[in-house]
Amino acid sequence: MGQGIVESVVLPVRPGLEDEFEAAFREASEIIARQTGYLGHTLRRGVEHPSTYLLTVTWTDVDAHEVGFRGSEDYQEWKRLLHRFYDPFPTVLHYGEDLLA
């Protein structure tokens, strides 16, 4: 299986909604953690820009995210919980295995 791939997303949360977003994300974390192909995730808050967060999710492969999770009923709940916080809507990118490992 190797190291998997990493989904990386900068989440621009609407200023003033950070606490509400973090609470919603804790709930959403349970959704993503039960997905087939999920290997782990982190959420970090910006230092210079505290309304910006960095989400990284490790998946077995891109299809686990793009087809499996995004095609699931669980994704609809994920969207309901989180998508209203973003402005603008974030860009999702995927990265291969660690070249330094």
Side-chain angles (χ1 to χ4, degrees):
M1 175 170 54
Q3 303 165 4
I5 60 100
V6 174
E7 167 196 354
S8 176
V9 192
V10 174
L11 303 173
V13 171
R14 296 174 194 276
L17 298 179
E18 295 88 352
D19 290 344
E20 190 179 344
F21 167 73
E22 290 177 22
F25 195 90
R26 279 190 285 281
E27 185 177 345
S29 287
E30 297 175 16
I31 294 170
I32 202 165
R34 66 178 175 239
Q35 302 307 304
T36 301
Y38 165 89
L39 299 174
H41 73 279
T42 65
L43 180 69
R44 297 172 187 260
R45 190 169 184 178
V47 174
E48 293 83 4
H49 302 282
S51 297
T52 301
Y53 294 77
L54 174 64
L55 170 64
T56 59
V57 185
T58 306
W59 299 95
T60 52
D61 54 53
V62 173
D63 281 351
H65 175 227
E66 293 289 320
V67 178
F69 178 48
R70 286 203 174 164
S72 72
E73 286 296 317
D74 278 342
Y75 184 66
Q76 300 309 310
E77 180 66 4
W78 173 271
K79 283 173 43 174
R80 185 191 69 74
L81 286 168
L82 300 175
H83 285 195
R84 66 189 175 89
F85 291 105
Y86 308 137
D87 184 26
F89 197 77
T91 298
V92 176
L93 298 172
H94 297 93
Y95 296 87
E97 293 191 5
D98 184 347
L99 300 176
L100 302 177

XYZ file of all heavy atoms in Angstrom:
821
model
N 0.821 -1.194 0.000
C 0.000 0.000 0.000
C 0.860 1.251 0.000
O 0.444 2.287 -0.448
C -0.941 -0.025 1.210
C -1.752 1.235 1.371
S -3.059 1.142 2.604
C -2.213 0.616 4.063
N 2.070 1.215 0.505
C 2.934 2.389 0.524
C 2.425 3.423 1.502
O 1.741 3.129 2.458
N 2.778 4.668 1.232
C 2.414 5.779 2.116
C 1.068 6.389 1.771
O 0.572 7.222 2.512
C 3.482 6.868 2.025
C 4.854 6.404 2.363
C 5.888 7.433 1.905
O 5.571 8.494 1.412
N 7.139 7.077 2.052
N 0.505 6.038 0.638
C -0.736 6.662 0.203
C -0.482 8.009 -0.437
O 0.650 8.391 -0.706
N -1.557 8.724 -0.691
C -1.465 10.066 -1.238
C -2.012 11.038 -0.204
O -2.788 10.654 0.679
C -2.208 10.203 -2.590
C -3.698 9.893 -2.441
C -1.599 9.305 -3.649
C -4.520 11.135 -2.342
N -1.604 12.289 -0.321
C -2.061 13.308 0.621
C -2.914 14.333 -0.119
O -2.481 14.917 -1.114
C -0.868 14.004 1.311
C -1.349 15.162 2.189
C -0.075 13.007 2.138
N -4.119 14.510 0.382
C -4.998 15.596 -0.059
C -4.630 16.808 0.797
O -4.536 16.708 2.019
C -6.448 15.185 0.192
C -7.451 16.290 0.077
C -8.790 15.929 0.691
O -9.002 14.777 1.121
O -9.633 16.827 0.764
N -4.408 17.936 0.153
C -4.035 19.160 0.861
C -4.998 20.263 0.460
O -5.219 20.495 -0.732
C -2.607 19.560 0.498
O -2.275 20.783 1.090
N -5.579 20.931 1.475
C -6.573 21.963 1.203
C -6.382 23.123 2.170
O -6.359 22.920 3.385
C -8.017 21.431 1.390
C -9.031 22.415 0.837
C -8.204 20.061 0.778
N -6.232 24.327 1.630
C -6.251 25.519 2.462
C -7.713 25.948 2.560
O -8.382 26.159 1.541
C -5.376 26.641 1.865
C -5.540 27.927 2.668
C -3.921 26.202 1.832
N -8.218 26.035 3.804
C -9.627 26.339 4.053
C -9.763 27.793 4.530
O -9.421 28.098 5.675
C -10.186 25.389 5.108
C -10.076 23.890 4.789
C -10.510 23.072 5.992
C -10.900 23.544 3.561
N -10.265 28.685 3.685
C -10.464 30.077 4.080
C -11.818 30.229 4.776
O -12.859 30.346 4.130
C -10.422 30.826 2.743
C -10.909 29.827 1.740
C -10.539 28.462 2.264
N -11.806 30.224 6.096
C -13.037 30.303 6.878
C -13.435 31.775 7.035
O -12.582 32.644 7.233
C -12.830 29.629 8.253
C -14.004 29.874 9.187
C -12.606 28.127 8.057
N -14.729 32.025 6.948
C -15.239 33.394 7.107
C -14.842 33.923 8.496
O -15.127 33.261 9.496
C -16.749 33.428 6.955
C -17.240 33.023 5.587
C -18.769 32.941 5.555
N -19.229 32.245 4.384
C -19.410 32.799 3.192
N -19.166 34.081 3.032
N -19.829 32.086 2.170
N -14.186 35.078 8.553
C -13.765 35.633 9.846
C -14.937 35.741 10.826
O -16.050 36.119 10.453
C -13.217 37.017 9.471
C -12.745 36.843 8.058
C -13.761 35.917 7.433
N -14.651 35.370 12.067
C -15.661 35.395 13.115
C -16.357 34.066 13.332
O -17.058 33.879 14.327
N -16.169 33.132 12.389
C -16.825 31.825 12.484
C -15.861 30.700 12.849
O -16.209 29.528 12.758
C -17.529 31.495 11.160
C -18.651 32.438 10.733
C -19.237 31.991 9.398
C -19.734 32.516 11.799
N -14.648 31.059 13.269
C -13.621 30.052 13.530
C -14.052 29.027 14.586
O -13.879 27.824 14.381
C -12.308 30.714 13.959
C -11.680 31.569 12.881
C -12.177 33.019 12.882
O -13.131 33.340 13.640
O -11.614 33.818 12.121
N -14.595 29.483 15.711
C -15.002 28.547 16.766
C -16.102 27.607 16.287
O -16.069 26.402 16.549
C -15.468 29.301 18.021
C -14.328 29.998 18.744
O -13.149 29.679 18.481
O -14.628 30.865 19.592
N -17.069 28.164 15.568
C -18.168 27.348 15.035
C -17.644 26.341 14.011
O -18.045 25.180 13.989
C -19.215 28.264 14.412
C -20.506 27.573 14.044
C -21.543 28.517 13.458
O -21.399 29.752 13.592
O -22.493 27.998 12.850
N -16.717 26.795 13.162
C -16.109 25.895 12.178
C -15.374 24.754 12.871
O -15.535 23.585 12.496
C -15.130 26.665 11.277
C -14.247 25.770 10.466
C -14.751 25.065 9.386
C -12.910 25.608 10.804
C -13.930 24.209 8.647
C -12.088 24.763 10.073
C -12.602 24.066 8.991
N -14.570 25.076 13.880
C -13.806 24.034 14.570
C -14.720 23.007 15.223
O -14.440 21.806 15.182
C -12.864 24.664 15.587
C -11.715 25.411 14.920
C -10.800 26.121 15.894
O -10.764 25.738 17.093
O -10.107 27.069 15.463
N -15.823 23.449 15.788
C -16.789 22.513 16.384
C -17.407 21.625 15.303
O -17.529 20.407 15.479
C -17.872 23.280 17.138
N -17.784 22.220 14.182
C -18.363 21.447 13.075
C -17.335 20.478 12.506
O -17.666 19.341 12.147
C -18.865 22.390 11.981
N -16.073 20.910 12.445
C -15.043 20.030 11.897
C -14.805 18.823 12.802
O -14.567 17.719 12.313
C -13.728 20.770 11.636
C -12.829 19.977 10.753
C -12.883 20.130 9.384
C -11.974 19.017 11.276
C -12.098 19.350 8.552
C -11.179 18.239 10.460
C -11.245 18.410 9.091
N -14.874 19.024 14.110
C -14.727 17.879 15.016
C -15.804 16.827 14.717
O -15.520 15.629 14.693
C -14.783 18.332 16.474
C -13.458 18.889 16.965
C -13.432 19.107 18.464
N -14.183 20.276 18.879
C -13.751 21.532 18.787
N -12.556 21.776 18.300
N -14.498 22.525 19.202
N -17.010 17.280 14.473
C -18.094 16.356 14.115
C -17.818 15.714 12.755
O -17.977 14.509 12.578
C -19.423 17.111 14.091
C -20.618 16.222 13.854
C -21.937 16.984 13.899
O -21.980 18.125 14.384
O -22.935 16.406 13.435
N -17.387 16.508 11.795
C -17.113 16.003 10.446
C -15.943 15.028 10.438
O -15.877 14.143 9.578
C -16.839 17.172 9.499
N -15.029 15.160 11.383
C -13.870 14.260 11.451
C -14.302 12.803 11.586
O -13.649 11.905 11.046
C -12.964 14.642 12.622
O -12.278 15.823 12.336
N -15.392 12.577 12.293
C -15.900 11.209 12.448
C -16.384 10.651 11.115
O -16.255 9.456 10.857
C -17.036 11.189 13.471
C -16.599 11.590 14.861
C -17.755 11.690 15.840
O -18.857 11.166 15.537
O -17.558 12.282 16.909
N -16.913 11.517 10.276
C -17.416 11.099 8.964
C -16.266 10.647 8.081
O -16.302 9.571 7.487
C -18.185 12.243 8.288
C -19.464 12.553 9.072
C -18.504 11.906 6.837
C -20.161 13.821 8.626
N -15.240 11.471 7.991
C -14.139 11.149 7.077
C -13.340 9.949 7.579
O -12.857 9.131 6.789
C -13.251 12.385 6.809
C -12.491 12.186 5.493
C -12.356 12.706 7.962
C -11.874 13.441 4.957
N -13.226 9.819 8.894
C -12.410 8.742 9.469
C -12.976 7.355 9.190
O -12.239 6.374 9.258
C -12.257 8.958 10.970
N -14.242 7.256 8.853
C -14.840 5.933 8.598
C -14.869 5.561 7.108
O -15.430 4.545 6.722
C -16.232 5.851 9.210
C -17.267 6.763 8.591
C -18.632 6.548 9.246
N -19.610 7.480 8.760
C -20.283 8.340 9.525
N -20.071 8.378 10.825
N -21.174 9.149 8.988
N -14.241 6.372 6.265
C -14.265 6.113 4.826
C -13.277 5.035 4.418
O -12.172 4.954 4.965
C -13.970 7.401 4.053
C -14.928 8.517 4.340
C -16.380 8.120 4.170
O -16.787 7.651 3.099
N -17.173 8.307 5.213
N -13.654 4.240 3.442
C -12.752 3.251 2.869
C -11.591 3.995 2.207
O -11.807 4.953 1.469
C -13.490 2.392 1.816
O -14.585 1.750 2.453
C -12.565 1.364 1.191
N -10.377 3.577 2.517
C -9.196 4.207 1.942
C -8.646 5.358 2.756
O -7.601 5.905 2.421
N -9.317 5.740 3.829
C -8.843 6.809 4.708
C -7.703 6.285 5.568
O -7.799 5.217 6.159
C -9.993 7.282 5.597
C -9.568 8.112 6.783
C -9.443 9.491 6.670
C -9.290 7.517 8.006
C -9.051 10.257 7.758
C -8.899 8.276 9.097
C -8.780 9.643 8.970
O -8.403 10.393 10.046
N -6.612 7.067 5.681
C -5.468 6.670 6.496
C -5.174 7.643 7.642
O -4.422 7.302 8.540
C -4.224 6.512 5.617
C -4.306 5.450 4.527
C -3.062 5.495 3.642
C -4.504 4.072 5.124
N -5.737 8.848 7.602
C -5.502 9.813 8.675
C -5.675 11.231 8.169
O -5.690 11.478 6.966
N -5.817 12.183 9.110
C -5.920 13.579 8.712
C -5.422 14.511 9.818
O -5.321 14.101 10.970
C -7.350 13.953 8.300
C -8.330 14.064 9.425
N -8.939 12.974 9.991
C -8.812 15.146 10.083
C -9.761 13.383 10.953
N -9.695 14.693 11.036
N -5.108 15.742 9.422
C -4.742 16.804 10.360
C -5.469 18.073 9.946
O -5.776 18.281 8.765
C -3.224 17.093 10.377
O -2.837 17.603 9.103
C -2.410 15.860 10.723
N -5.737 18.922 10.919
C -6.276 20.254 10.668
C -5.449 21.222 11.494
O -5.332 21.058 12.709
C -7.751 20.341 11.075
C -8.408 21.709 10.841
C -8.550 21.989 9.340
C -9.754 21.795 11.538
N -4.862 22.216 10.834
C -4.011 23.194 11.514
C -4.530 24.594 11.220
O -4.892 24.897 10.083
C -2.566 23.078 11.042
C -1.947 21.734 11.370
C -0.579 21.594 10.715
N -0.071 20.256 10.889
C 0.817 19.911 11.816
N 1.289 20.817 12.644
N 1.239 18.668 11.907
N -4.524 25.433 12.254
C -4.983 26.818 12.109
C -3.813 27.717 11.724
O -2.697 27.567 12.237
C -5.595 27.287 13.423
C -6.313 28.619 13.299
C -7.108 28.912 14.538
N -7.864 30.141 14.343
C -8.693 30.632 15.237
N -8.879 30.002 16.389
N -9.336 31.750 14.996
N -4.075 28.672 10.852
C -3.047 29.597 10.413
C -2.532 30.481 11.539
O -3.308 30.912 12.391
N -1.243 30.742 11.536
C -0.626 31.614 12.527
C -0.788 33.070 12.079
O -1.313 33.905 12.811
C 0.865 31.251 12.732
C 1.541 32.239 13.652
C 0.982 29.825 13.258
N -0.339 33.378 10.870
C -0.451 34.743 10.354
C -1.892 35.118 10.012
O -2.272 36.281 10.121
C 0.429 34.929 9.107
C 1.912 34.850 9.381
C 2.446 33.418 9.419
O 1.665 32.465 9.153
O 3.626 33.248 9.730
N -2.660 34.137 9.571
C -4.056 34.358 9.171
C -4.932 33.345 9.909
O -5.226 32.267 9.380
C -4.208 34.211 7.653
C -3.323 35.149 6.889
N -3.614 36.479 6.721
C -2.138 34.940 6.274
C -2.646 37.056 6.033
N -1.740 36.142 5.751
N -5.377 33.666 11.123
C -6.105 32.697 11.964
C -7.449 32.237 11.414
O -8.019 31.285 11.929
C -6.287 33.428 13.294
C -5.389 34.602 13.262
C -5.094 34.910 11.832
N -7.946 32.875 10.363
C -9.187 32.420 9.739
C -8.928 31.373 8.659
O -9.859 30.893 8.029
C -9.943 33.600 9.097
O -10.315 34.519 10.078
N -7.649 31.066 8.437
C -7.268 30.097 7.411
C -6.754 28.826 8.080
O -5.998 28.888 9.043
C -6.177 30.699 6.506
O -6.683 31.884 5.905
C -5.773 29.726 5.420
N -7.181 27.691 7.568
C -6.800 26.387 8.104
C -6.174 25.555 7.001
O -6.506 25.718 5.830
C -8.030 25.650 8.643
C -8.652 26.321 9.835
C -9.446 27.449 9.678
C -8.434 25.844 11.122
C -10.017 28.081 10.781
C -9.002 26.467 12.225
C -9.791 27.588 12.045
O -10.351 28.200 13.134
N -5.297 24.646 7.402
C -4.710 23.685 6.469
C -5.210 22.296 6.843
O -4.954 21.820 7.953
C -3.186 23.715 6.522
C -2.480 22.646 5.681
C -2.774 22.845 4.192
C -0.991 22.661 5.947
N -5.923 21.682 5.926
C -6.400 20.312 6.101
C -5.549 19.397 5.242
O -5.351 19.664 4.054
C -7.864 20.194 5.671
C -8.432 18.772 5.565
C -8.452 18.078 6.921
C -9.819 18.802 4.941
N -5.018 18.344 5.841
C -4.372 17.294 5.069
C -5.054 15.983 5.419
O -5.352 15.713 6.590
C -2.861 17.178 5.352
O -2.657 16.900 6.728
C -2.131 18.454 4.976
N -5.348 15.204 4.389
C -5.957 13.887 4.568
C -5.119 12.891 3.785
O -4.809 13.128 2.613
C -7.417 13.840 4.063
C -8.050 12.481 4.374
C -8.249 14.975 4.655
N -4.749 11.807 4.415
C -4.009 10.755 3.717
C -4.983 9.659 3.318
O -5.764 9.176 4.143
C -2.884 10.190 4.604
O -2.058 11.280 5.051
C -2.021 9.195 3.835
N -4.934 9.317 2.041
C -5.798 8.296 1.449
C -4.922 7.217 0.830
O -3.778 7.476 0.453
C -6.662 8.899 0.338
C -7.588 9.987 0.759
C -7.356 11.335 0.706
C -8.895 9.832 1.296
N -8.441 12.019 1.169
C -9.410 11.131 1.542
C -9.692 8.729 1.601
C -10.672 11.345 2.070
C -10.955 8.944 2.124
C -11.437 10.240 2.355
N -5.474 6.036 0.639
C -4.733 4.974 -0.036
C -4.432 5.359 -1.482
O -3.368 5.049 -2.008
C -5.503 3.645 -0.013
O -6.824 3.867 -0.519
C -5.560 3.066 1.393
N -5.383 6.057 -2.128
C -5.215 6.512 -3.509
C -6.221 7.629 -3.781
O -7.119 7.881 -2.977
C -5.369 5.357 -4.510
C -6.671 4.595 -4.332
O -7.740 5.226 -4.330
O -6.614 3.358 -4.191
N -6.075 8.308 -4.910
C -6.950 9.430 -5.251
C -8.401 8.978 -5.368
O -9.318 9.681 -4.944
C -6.472 10.128 -6.548
C -7.473 11.182 -6.995
C -5.101 10.751 -6.346
N -8.638 7.794 -5.932
C -10.015 7.317 -6.090
C -10.733 7.126 -4.761
O -11.947 7.309 -4.683
C -10.060 6.005 -6.881
C -9.918 6.236 -8.379
O -9.960 7.410 -8.823
O -9.788 5.241 -9.110
N -10.012 6.786 -3.703
C -10.652 6.642 -2.393
C -11.297 7.962 -1.992
O -12.386 7.985 -1.401
C -9.637 6.195 -1.345
N -10.656 9.060 -2.343
C -11.205 10.381 -2.042
C -12.213 10.832 -3.090
O -13.361 11.117 -2.785
C -10.066 11.407 -1.940
C -10.568 12.800 -1.754
N -10.093 13.851 -2.488
C -11.514 13.310 -0.922
C -10.722 14.953 -2.111
N -11.580 14.658 -1.165
N -11.759 10.894 -4.344
C -12.562 11.488 -5.415
C -13.791 10.667 -5.806
O -14.815 11.242 -6.154
C -11.684 11.711 -6.651
C -10.614 12.759 -6.465
C -11.176 14.170 -6.387
O -12.106 14.489 -7.140
O -10.677 14.945 -5.559
N -13.688 9.364 -5.762
C -14.799 8.501 -6.158
C -15.534 7.971 -4.924
O -16.742 8.147 -4.777
C -14.310 7.328 -7.045
C -15.464 6.411 -7.411
C -13.622 7.861 -8.298
N -14.769 7.350 -4.020
C -15.374 6.731 -2.849
C -16.046 7.728 -1.920
O -17.264 7.702 -1.727
N -15.266 8.639 -1.338
C -15.820 9.589 -0.378
C -16.761 10.585 -1.042
O -17.898 10.768 -0.612
C -14.696 10.314 0.361
C -15.187 11.339 1.346
C -16.187 11.042 2.256
C -14.634 12.608 1.378
C -16.648 11.997 3.171
C -15.077 13.560 2.288
C -16.082 13.249 3.180
N -16.314 11.211 -2.106
C -17.154 12.233 -2.748
C -18.418 11.657 -3.371
O -19.384 12.382 -3.573
C -16.351 13.007 -3.782
C -15.392 13.974 -3.123
C -15.021 15.070 -4.044
N -14.224 16.074 -3.363
C -13.527 16.979 -3.996
N -13.518 17.008 -5.311
N -12.840 17.869 -3.317
N -18.425 10.372 -3.646
C -19.620 9.739 -4.196
C -20.537 9.154 -3.135
O -21.560 8.550 -3.461
N -20.195 9.343 -1.875
C -20.940 8.704 -0.786
C -22.010 9.615 -0.191
O -21.967 10.840 -0.332
C -19.969 8.285 0.326
O -19.495 9.443 1.013
N -22.962 8.998 0.505
C -23.950 9.751 1.277
C -23.251 10.554 2.371
O -23.674 11.659 2.709
C -24.978 8.806 1.898
C -25.967 8.248 0.893
C -26.844 9.330 0.269
O -27.325 10.225 1.003
O -27.033 9.285 -0.959
N -22.191 9.988 2.944
C -21.444 10.686 3.984
C -20.922 12.035 3.497
O -20.845 12.997 4.265
C -20.258 9.843 4.476
C -20.661 8.805 5.504
O -21.747 8.920 6.104
O -19.859 7.880 5.726
N -20.559 12.124 2.224
C -20.052 13.383 1.697
C -21.119 14.473 1.745
O -20.811 15.647 1.967
C -19.513 13.204 0.278
C -18.885 14.464 -0.268
C -17.721 14.990 0.286
C -19.464 15.154 -1.328
C -17.140 16.158 -0.207
C -18.892 16.320 -1.823
C -17.741 16.817 -1.262
O -17.176 17.967 -1.737
N -22.373 14.094 1.548
C -23.458 15.073 1.630
C -23.534 15.675 3.039
O -23.766 16.872 3.209
C -24.792 14.437 1.227
C -24.813 13.901 -0.191
C -24.342 14.929 -1.215
O -24.805 16.065 -1.234
N -23.400 14.531 -2.070
N -23.322 14.847 4.052
C -23.311 15.327 5.430
C -22.084 16.204 5.685
O -22.163 17.231 6.354
C -23.358 14.147 6.399
C -23.362 14.530 7.857
C -24.621 15.271 8.321
O -25.562 15.433 7.532
O -24.648 15.693 9.481
N -20.932 15.803 5.161
C -19.696 16.591 5.258
C -19.928 17.994 4.677
O -19.588 18.997 5.295
C -18.595 15.850 4.495
C -17.294 16.554 4.321
C -16.933 17.386 3.303
C -16.135 16.457 5.174
N -15.636 17.811 3.470
C -15.132 17.252 4.601
C -15.868 15.759 6.346
C -13.862 17.384 5.172
C -14.609 15.889 6.918
C -13.623 16.696 6.337
N -20.522 18.037 3.493
C -20.820 19.315 2.849
C -21.768 20.150 3.706
O -21.566 21.357 3.868
C -21.455 19.085 1.474
C -20.479 18.682 0.401
C -21.129 18.301 -0.907
C -22.238 19.188 -1.371
N -22.734 18.831 -2.718
N -22.797 19.518 4.241
C -23.777 20.228 5.059
C -23.108 20.858 6.284
O -23.395 21.995 6.651
C -24.899 19.287 5.498
C -26.020 19.995 6.259
C -26.974 19.023 6.921
N -26.373 18.291 8.030
C -26.109 18.802 9.226
N -26.368 20.059 9.501
N -25.572 18.056 10.178
N -22.192 20.132 6.890
C -21.518 20.616 8.085
C -20.512 21.728 7.809
O -20.372 22.650 8.612
C -20.788 19.459 8.785
C -21.647 18.460 9.533
C -20.822 17.237 9.915
C -22.264 19.105 10.776
N -19.799 21.647 6.683
C -18.606 22.486 6.509
C -18.626 23.518 5.383
O -17.998 24.566 5.516
C -17.380 21.590 6.323
C -17.067 20.646 7.473
C -15.907 19.732 7.110
C -16.779 21.423 8.748
N -19.287 23.236 4.285
C -19.101 24.084 3.108
C -19.575 25.519 3.292
O -19.053 26.431 2.648
C -19.740 23.450 1.881
C -18.945 22.313 1.342
N -19.157 21.796 0.091
C -17.927 21.588 1.874
C -18.303 20.788 -0.125
N -17.552 20.654 0.948
N -20.483 25.766 4.197
C -20.998 27.130 4.403
C -19.962 28.078 5.027
O -20.115 29.293 4.967
C -22.244 27.098 5.269
C -21.996 26.628 6.686
C -23.326 26.413 7.426
N -23.124 25.856 8.734
C -22.934 26.597 9.832
N -22.927 27.911 9.749
N -22.751 26.016 11.001
N -18.898 27.526 5.597
C -17.891 28.349 6.264
C -16.878 28.964 5.312
O -16.158 29.887 5.683
C -17.119 27.514 7.305
C -17.954 27.119 8.481
C -18.420 25.819 8.603
C -18.280 28.034 9.463
C -19.182 25.436 9.696
C -19.045 27.674 10.560
C -19.499 26.365 10.670
N -16.761 28.474 4.088
C -15.652 28.847 3.207
C -15.972 30.032 2.306
O -17.020 30.081 1.670
C -15.243 27.655 2.336
C -14.980 26.393 3.110
C -15.442 25.174 2.652
C -14.286 26.420 4.311
C -15.195 24.006 3.358
C -14.048 25.265 5.031
C -14.508 24.064 4.548
O -14.274 22.911 5.259
N -15.011 30.948 2.213
C -15.103 32.063 1.279
C -13.688 32.560 0.976
O -13.052 33.138 1.858
C -15.941 33.191 1.858
C -16.139 34.323 0.860
O -16.078 34.064 -0.361
O -16.341 35.466 1.306
N -13.211 32.297 -0.246
C -13.854 31.566 -1.336
C -13.789 30.055 -1.099
O -13.137 29.596 -0.153
C -13.009 31.957 -2.556
C -11.642 32.173 -1.996
C -11.870 32.770 -0.614
N -14.462 29.308 -1.981
C -14.436 27.855 -1.852
C -13.025 27.348 -2.139
O -12.370 27.810 -3.068
C -15.441 27.196 -2.800
C -15.731 25.789 -2.406
C -16.576 25.511 -1.348
C -15.117 24.744 -3.067
C -16.823 24.206 -0.954
C -15.351 23.430 -2.678
C -16.204 23.158 -1.622
N -12.521 26.423 -1.319
C -11.125 25.982 -1.447
C -10.857 25.086 -2.649
O -11.750 24.416 -3.160
C -10.887 25.210 -0.146
C -12.232 24.771 0.297
C -13.196 25.811 -0.173
N -9.599 25.079 -3.040
C -9.099 24.192 -4.087
C -8.442 22.984 -3.420
O -7.630 23.143 -2.503
C -8.058 24.915 -4.957
O -8.693 26.025 -5.579
C -7.474 23.992 -6.009
N -8.798 21.791 -3.885
C -8.255 20.543 -3.339
C -7.166 20.028 -4.280
O -7.387 19.926 -5.488
C -9.370 19.475 -3.207
C -8.802 18.151 -2.737
C -10.457 19.973 -2.268
N -6.003 19.712 -3.717
C -4.906 19.145 -4.495
C -4.459 17.838 -3.847
O -4.598 17.659 -2.632
C -3.729 20.125 -4.551
C -4.019 21.465 -5.223
C -2.842 22.410 -5.035
C -4.342 21.281 -6.688
N -3.910 16.933 -4.663
C -3.408 15.652 -4.174
C -1.911 15.553 -4.456
O -1.444 15.991 -5.511
C -4.133 14.490 -4.863
C -5.598 14.463 -4.568
N -6.513 15.081 -5.381
C -6.289 13.916 -3.549
C -7.719 14.906 -4.870
N -7.613 14.209 -3.760
N -1.192 14.941 -3.518
C 0.263 14.803 -3.632
C 0.657 13.354 -3.456
O 0.049 12.630 -2.652
C 0.968 15.673 -2.573
C 0.698 17.146 -2.812
C -0.436 17.740 -2.282
C 1.547 17.898 -3.614
C -0.690 19.089 -2.528
C 1.287 19.238 -3.845
C 0.155 19.825 -3.301
O -0.102 21.149 -3.547
N 1.695 12.936 -4.183
C 2.177 11.555 -4.129
C 2.993 11.261 -2.885
O 3.012 12.029 -1.926
N 3.677 10.151 -2.939
C 4.433 9.688 -1.783
C 5.602 10.614 -1.450
O 6.122 11.329 -2.311
C 4.947 8.257 -2.055
C 3.795 7.262 -2.128
C 4.258 5.820 -2.132
O 5.462 5.569 -1.977
O 3.399 4.951 -2.277
N 6.007 10.594 -0.210
C 7.092 11.420 0.302
C 8.398 11.052 -0.405
O 8.861 9.908 -0.319
C 7.221 11.191 1.819
C 8.251 12.079 2.480
O 9.053 12.715 1.767
O 8.256 12.117 3.712
N 8.990 12.002 -1.085
C 10.214 11.762 -1.850
C 11.440 11.656 -0.951
O 12.499 11.209 -1.390
C 10.418 12.863 -2.878
C 9.308 13.000 -3.911
C 9.579 14.195 -4.821
C 9.138 11.728 -4.721
N 11.306 12.070 0.303
C 12.449 12.038 1.225
C 12.402 10.871 2.195
O 13.319 10.707 2.990
C 12.512 13.355 2.012
C 12.624 14.620 1.141
C 12.612 15.849 2.027
C 13.847 14.572 0.275
N 11.335 10.083 2.131
C 11.192 8.960 3.070
C 12.118 7.816 2.696
O 12.493 7.616 1.580
C 9.755 8.481 3.102
